[in-house]
Amino acid sequence: MIRYIWRSGGIEAKPVFTAATLLILAAILAFFVISVFQAEKEQLLLQKVQPIQNPEPPVISSEISEINNVPATLPSSTPVTAAETGDIEQKIPAGGPGNADDSSESIHRLLNGNVILAFGWQEHPLFKDWRYHTGVDLAAAEGQAVPAFLPGEVIDVNTDKHLGLTVVVKSEKYAVYYGSIATASVSKGDRVATGMQIGLIGAAAGEKYGPHLHLGVKSLVTDTYINPAEIFPEIKN
């Protein structure tokens, strides 16, 4: 901006800057100074900061030798000798639950024994009254082994007030009752094979006419007791 001033000698032209122009120039200068200062500060920071490096640990020669000595295959397990397996078998007690009787002699001996009390309506030899007998009582020696006559699963072991200790084995569509025994060699849920010992002969508290086996058979189809001789024809009625 130019202002014209009258003087005695004539008109003199003199530039005059307004306050706004001065402020703009000052702002430009300040921005330039700040930019230069910021650039120099960033350059100094970059020069001071050094990259952090993770040096690799030195490889020790002993470690290399250990790595080289690793076998290509793992050592096999020590084989079990026949003598060791024999020792294991000898530690299993014979005659315990789940051991089968290889001979069927015990089955035939029981089934061919004297029938003390037959199946159905019978006069009780002790109480002298007529009662329905759900099985047959086979004479046997006290302590004689009771084998399973049929294979199956033990579904119950209980003490009946008339039959005494009784083992019940489910064999397909039949439930076979082995009553009047002294001890049971099996437990509920056990699987038994034909000839396997399930108990020992005893005598029921309510049937004091000598040691015997109460053998009962129930049809799981009709839920009724049937004559055991229908399943085991060796029984002498």
Side-chain angles (χ1 to χ4, degrees):
M1 180 178 182
I2 299 175
R3 179 179 294 181
Y4 294 92
I5 301 175
W6 291 94
R7 293 187 181 275
S8 58
I11 300 174
E12 181 180 357
K14 186 176 182 179
V16 178
F17 294 96
T18 64
T21 303
L22 292 176
L23 289 175
I24 293 173
L25 291 175
I28 294 173
L29 180 62
F31 177 77
F32 177 77
V33 172
I34 291 173
S35 299
V36 173
F37 177 76
Q38 185 69 23
E40 292 179 354
K41 184 177 180 180
E42 293 178 355
Q43 186 66 25
L44 290 175
L45 289 175
L46 292 175
Q47 293 177 358
K48 290 181 180 181
V49 175
Q50 297 295 332
I52 300 175
Q53 297 180 355
N54 294 325
E56 297 182 357
V59 179
I60 303 174
S61 59
S62 60
E63 295 179 355
I64 296 176
S65 61
E66 290 179 359
I67 295 173
N68 293 332
N69 291 332
V70 175
T73 59
L74 295 176
S76 60
S77 59
T78 305
V80 180
T81 62
E84 293 175 347
T85 56
D87 292 340
I88 295 174
E89 292 176 356
Q90 291 176 3
K91 292 177 182 178
I92 301 175
N99 290 318
D101 184 2
D102 297 333
S103 174
S104 60
E105 179 63 27
S106 56
I107 296 178
H108 297 308
R109 186 166 61 251
L110 275 172
L111 293 178
N112 290 325
N114 294 329
V115 177
I116 300 176
L117 193 62
F119 175 80
W121 287 102
Q122 304 290 333
E123 184 181 3
H124 198 280
L126 181 62
F127 301 104
K128 304 300 180 182
D129 58 358
W130 287 85
R131 301 185 180 188
Y132 189 82
H133 195 217
T134 59
V136 293
D137 290 349
L138 303 172
E142 188 171 358
Q144 182 178 338
V146 178
F149 296 153
L150 292 175
E153 179 184 358
V154 178
I155 59 174
D156 196 12
V157 178
N158 62 73
T159 301
D160 186 89
K161 65 179 181 179
H162 298 298
L163 303 179
L165 183 59
T166 303
V167 173
V168 185
V169 178
K170 179 182 178 182
S171 301
E172 295 184 354
K173 59 181 180 179
Y174 300 109
V176 183
Y177 291 73
Y178 302 86
S180 301
I181 61 177
T183 59
S185 303
V186 292
S187 302
K188 184 177 180 179
D190 289 346
R191 299 290 302 181
V192 297
T194 302
M196 182 180 296
Q197 178 178 314
I198 61 174
L200 298 175
I201 291 292
E207 298 173 337
K208 300 182 182 299
Y209 46 83
H212 62 277
L213 171 67
H214 173 85
L215 177 62
V217 178
K218 176 186 281 189
S219 171
L220 299 178
V221 178
T222 60
D223 195 30
T224 57
Y225 287 97
I226 62 176
N227 189 346
E230 297 178 13
I231 310 299
F232 309 106
E234 295 182 58
I235 298 176
K236 301 174 182 178
N237 286 322

